[in-house]
Amino acid sequence: MKEITQLIKEKLEMAFKEAGIDEKYAFVSLSNRPDLCEYQCNGALPAAKEYKKNPMEIAESIASHLKEDEMFASVEACKPGFLNLILSSEMLAKYVNGMAEAKVAFGFEKDPKQKTVIIDYGGANVAKPLHVGHLRSAVIGESIKRIKRFGGDKVIGDVHLGDWGLQMGLIITELQERQPDLVYFDESYAGEYPVEPPFTISDLEEIYPTASGKSKADADFKAKAMEATAQLQQGRAGYRALLKHILNVSVSDLKINYDNLNVEFDLWKGESDAQPFIPDMVQKMKDDGYAYISEGALVVDVKEETDTKEVPPCMILKSDGASLYNTTDLATMVMRQQEYHPDSIIYVVDKRQELYFTQVFRCAKKTKILPADTELVFVGFGTMNGKDGKPFKTREGGVMRLSALLSEINDKMYEKIRENATMTDEEAKATAKIVGLSAVKYGDLSNQASKDYVFDMDRFISFEGNTGPYILYTIVRIKSIIAKYGQDASAYSILPAKSDSEKALQLELSKFSGAIRGAYEEIAPHRLCAYIYDLANAFNHFYHETRILAIEDEKVKGSYIRLLELTRDVLSLCIDLLGFEAPERM
Ligand code: ARG
């Protein structure tokens, strides 16, 4: 199904041609005066310049061509040369019926050329607990993944674990101090290592912060940890075996956490998986003359003439030969290119890493790790702040763990929902979890990703205003009206709107494909949030003004139910693309 704006544009193009004006001026936009019209075309103004005519004359001539058209209830030329358009209720009803009857996706047309897109998000660091900083990457990345997939792309989500840094050496060193007799530390040992890990996830969660604290106070300890990291990276067998244990234990815990967030990865690769690709990559960079030694380190220049800020060289290897975060990201590209030949790779990472990604992207293109036409996109997100405007902390001022944040939200939501006396305790708990997640995710996604935002728990969990629970509440309300109706309305169709509020609701519904297209092309989940907020508002307005079930005429009632079903389905689909779902009641 064509987008509604496309249909309007085609009509305008015909009218422009008939009026002897180039159709390139037939552009249509949403009205910025919704009190006057629904859509508008301002093309007569620039056209007047080219044709040296009065814009009002052009607008009037076009209006006269369109006046009789069944698509419009009214076409008005307004000073100084605007065209104000109001759709006919018949045409609009036909369009939304088409959406309701479409076999897939309410008539949304997928991009016919399927692109392979890798989304690098989550980015949790192994053995360190997830904190709220990781929340944004997971929430935004998951939604981008779903939107891209819905738009027709072949999408691969990769968590890209941080599993190759100093934290590994810290854990190994601390473990060695506690249990020096473990076989992993015996360099002469040549047998198989135990299958059972020598620690649990709660051990790890305690070992890492202890070791990290020690390394800050004790230079000796830190040197040992760095040495252990280097030995691990060089392949010391006992350390590699420990890394495997750390990964296994940590990943099963991460899976539970991401599961609670409704976040799912196709790949659980980490920085360590890219290691085998490093030697050849580095050799090729040297052979091709891109990499050279500067102050002992191996670097590639990535500055460009047009730079307004300095972009330092991309460091490939440190002077001691050790690999860096950069090296791993570049080697990961080598791996991704070999395995998937992606058309596009999207990185959802804290925006403070922007310069870093500029360096890495340029280096990858310059050294031909990736073909010139592979699209590399950095979706940098802002900081999640507390109500004081500073980065979000616990009440005690420490780093807030993600699990703690989620259980706090769930508890508050549970209190709210328990007020609904008809629910069993069990149902209230399950519902609180669903609604709580919508609060967290919508609170994040409704902001443009690159902006900082204030995590305001009380606002986010409110059932009113621009919140996730408000959207869910709207869906639940619709479901309950449909349940009360209790019949099959599929024989009815949506009738032309009989009131302004009904027309406004149908208009919002008709914008569905455009909203999806916008979110898809701009990689912008917040566009979807804005759309469903408008749609939910339009529905609630209609609901307050209309006797839906009390109306006598069965055809009208059936038409309302069909309209409600479509609203429910569009809202449900959109929240699924945002990464949450609605309960049966709340
Ligand atoms: N682990 C990193 C961090 O916590 C994020 C990883 C982002 N992705 C990437 N390909 N570098 O900061």
Side-chain angles (χ1 to χ4, degrees):
M1 250 170 96
K2 283 186 180 161
E3 283 174 30
I4 190 120
T5 45
Q6 180 59 27
L7 295 175
I8 302 171
K9 190 170 160 28
E10 286 170 8
K11 286 282 181 196
L12 283 168
E13 282 172 350
M14 261 164 49
F16 270 74
K17 265 198 263 177
E18 280 169 29
I21 307 281
D22 193 323
E23 60 179 20
K24 73 174 182 215
Y25 293 111
F27 37 78
V28 53
S29 58
L30 223 69
S31 161
N32 52 23
R33 286 288 306 272
D35 51 326
L36 295 181
C37 61
E38 294 159 356
Y39 287 92
Q40 67 188 52
C41 169
N42 302 347
L45 299 166
K49 286 210 180 91
E50 183 182 327
Y51 291 88
K52 303 206 171 15
K53 278 190 179 167
N54 177 346
M56 209 37 207
E57 217 173 278
I58 297 180
E60 265 162 3
S61 145
I62 289 160
S64 70
H65 282 101
L66 289 177
K67 276 224 154 88
E68 299 307 309
D69 197 287
E70 59 185 21
M71 180 178 277
F72 302 104
S74 121
V75 180
E76 211 78 62
C78 293
K79 278 186 185 145
F82 300 131
L83 277 163
N84 287 355
L85 309 169
I86 296 179
L87 297 177
S88 81
S89 299
E90 287 72 23
M91 179 273 173
L92 189 57
K94 203 166 132 197
Y95 191 85
V96 286
N97 275 311
M99 286 177 67
E101 281 152 23
K103 290 275 171 299
V104 277
F106 315 113
F108 173 78
E109 284 180 18
K110 294 184 188 230
D111 202 334
K113 43 179 194 317
Q114 190 188 49
K115 292 196 284 177
T116 301
V117 181
I118 296 180
I119 307 193
D120 182 311
Y121 71 110
N125 297 316
V126 164
K128 296 190 199 174
L130 281 175
H131 58 78
V132 297
H134 291 110
L135 178 67
R136 294 212 73 188
S137 181
V139 168
I140 298 167
E142 179 70 18
S143 177
I144 293 175
K145 183 187 78 182
R146 293 177 185 213
I147 291 169
K148 286 283 173 192
R149 197 166 276 166
F150 183 79
D153 292 336
K154 177 175 176 235
V155 186
I156 302 143
D158 183 4
V159 64
H160 197 72
L161 295 172
D163 61 357
W164 201 240
L166 182 62
Q167 83 262 33
M168 297 302 166
L170 286 167
I171 293 168
I172 292 172
T173 308
E174 177 64 18
L175 201 64
Q176 182 159 22
E177 292 207 341
R178 294 185 189 190
Q179 303 180 60
D181 297 335
L182 285 177
V183 57
Y184 306 93
F185 303 116
D186 177 1
E187 276 191 88
S188 61
Y189 182 77
E192 295 275 320
Y193 289 102
V195 184
E196 281 300 312
F199 40 66
T200 63
I201 185 67
S202 23
D203 296 336
L204 271 189
E205 284 186 355
E206 180 267 319
I207 292 174
Y208 172 72
T210 309
S212 165
K214 268 195 197 172
S215 79
K216 282 177 194 129
D218 176 351
D220 233 34
F221 185 87
K222 180 155 188 200
K224 274 193 205 155
M226 283 170 72
E227 177 53 27
T229 311
Q231 288 196 19
L232 167 74
Q233 298 192 349
Q234 282 150 22
R236 183 167 159 175
Y239 289 3
R240 285 288 174 120
L242 275 178
L243 172 74
K244 263 206 190 133
H245 285 313
I246 299 172
L247 268 171
N248 285 340
V249 170
S250 197
V251 164
S252 2
D253 183 59
L254 281 171
K255 282 196 172 147
I256 298 171
N257 276 287
Y258 282 126
D259 231 33
N260 282 331
L261 281 174
N262 235 344
V263 168
E264 237 177 298
F265 298 97
D266 304 294
L267 297 179
W268 279 83
K269 299 240 183 205
E271 294 168 348
S272 65
D273 291 298
Q275 300 313 307
F277 297 86
I278 292 178
D280 285 355
M281 177 183 82
V282 171
Q283 192 55 48
K284 191 164 177 304
M285 283 180 181
K286 286 187 195 160
D287 293 348
D288 294 348
Y290 296 119
Y292 66 95
I293 303 285
S294 162
E295 292 170 30
L298 188 72
V299 303
V300 172
D301 280 331
V302 291
K303 63 172 182 288
E304 287 172 6
E305 264 175 37
T306 49
D307 289 342
T308 50
K309 269 189 276 172
E310 196 198 321
V311 182
C314 189
M315 204 193 283
I316 309 296
L317 293 177
K318 286 202 275 198
S319 46
D320 62 1
S323 58
L324 303 122
Y325 188 42
N326 306 18
T327 330
T328 314
D329 261 318
L330 289 165
T332 302
M333 289 177 178
V334 176
M335 175 172 78
R336 287 174 177 166
Q337 177 63 14
Q338 272 186 19
E339 289 177 20
Y340 300 103
H341 300 282
D343 296 291
S344 168
I345 311 179
I346 300 173
Y347 293 81
V348 187
V349 185
D350 191 312
K351 71 177 174 195
R352 283 169 293 190
Q353 293 189 28
E354 179 157 22
L355 175 62
Y356 164 79
F357 276 100
T358 303
Q359 293 172 295
V360 169
F361 288 178
R362 286 183 183 181
C363 184
K365 288 294 171 78
K366 181 171 176 178
T367 63
K368 304 198 168 56
I369 286 175
L370 293 173
D373 59 359
T374 307
E375 194 187 21
L376 291 171
V377 187
F378 177 67
V379 177
F381 53 81
T383 308
M384 176 172 140
N385 288 325
K387 272 193 192 164
D388 57 0
K390 300 207 186 93
F392 197 85
K393 291 267 156 66
T394 59
R395 258 179 238 114
E396 293 73 34
V399 176
M400 174 75 112
R401 283 197 186 190
L402 189 55
S403 47
L405 177 89
L406 290 180
S407 53
E408 197 174 328
I409 276 244
N410 282 352
D411 291 348
K412 284 204 171 185
M413 214 65 220
Y414 171 71
E415 290 301 316
K416 242 181 132 107
I417 282 172
R418 232 188 22 181
E419 291 165 16
N420 180 345
T422 62
M423 253 188 223
T424 64
D425 202 47
E426 205 181 334
E427 190 183 352
K429 281 213 172 89
T431 308
K433 209 176 149 199
I434 296 174
V435 184
L437 190 61
S438 82
V440 174
K441 288 196 163 187
Y442 191 93
D444 187 315
L445 293 169
S446 52
N447 304 283
Q448 201 176 327
S450 61
K451 299 223 164 98
D452 296 348
Y453 78 102
V454 173
F455 190 89
D456 182 344
M457 178 118 54
D458 294 320
R459 186 170 81 72
F460 288 1
I461 64 172
S462 167
F463 286 12
E464 280 147 44
N466 191 5
T467 69
Y470 168 68
I471 305 291
L472 298 194
Y473 194 75
T474 306
I475 296 175
V476 166
R477 169 177 276 167
I478 298 174
K479 284 185 183 173
S480 108
I481 301 169
I482 293 172
K484 270 196 207 125
Y485 178 70
Q487 298 160 53
D488 177 8
S490 60
Y492 296 106
S493 57
I494 299 169
L495 298 171
K498 284 159 294 302
S499 66
D500 287 350
S501 66
E502 188 186 2
K503 187 159 189 218
L505 174 58
Q506 293 190 15
L507 259 181
E508 283 308 327
L509 283 167
S510 73
K511 292 174 192 162
F512 167 75
S513 284
I516 299 274
R517 172 94 41 229
Y520 171 85
E521 281 172 0
E522 288 165 32
I523 317 184
H526 74 276
R527 301 249 339 221
L528 220 49
C529 292
Y531 172 65
I532 57 174
Y533 183 51
D534 286 346
L535 179 57
N537 280 338
F539 169 76
N540 285 310
H541 189 208
F542 166 72
Y543 167 80
H544 288 298
E545 305 235 310
T546 314
R547 291 155 30 111
I548 297 174
L549 294 177
I551 199 123
E552 304 238 308
D553 188 327
E554 284 302 324
K555 266 194 165 164
V556 175
K557 202 193 291 183
S559 150
Y560 285 161
I561 295 298
R562 292 286 281 163
L563 188 60
L564 263 60
E565 286 172 347
L566 182 60
T567 309
R568 171 200 63 193
D569 294 345
V570 167
L571 285 173
S572 303
L573 179 104
C574 291
I575 61 170
D576 182 53
L577 296 181
L578 294 170
F580 55 91
E581 58 189 9
E584 280 316 305
R585 43 196 204 138
M586 62 193 266

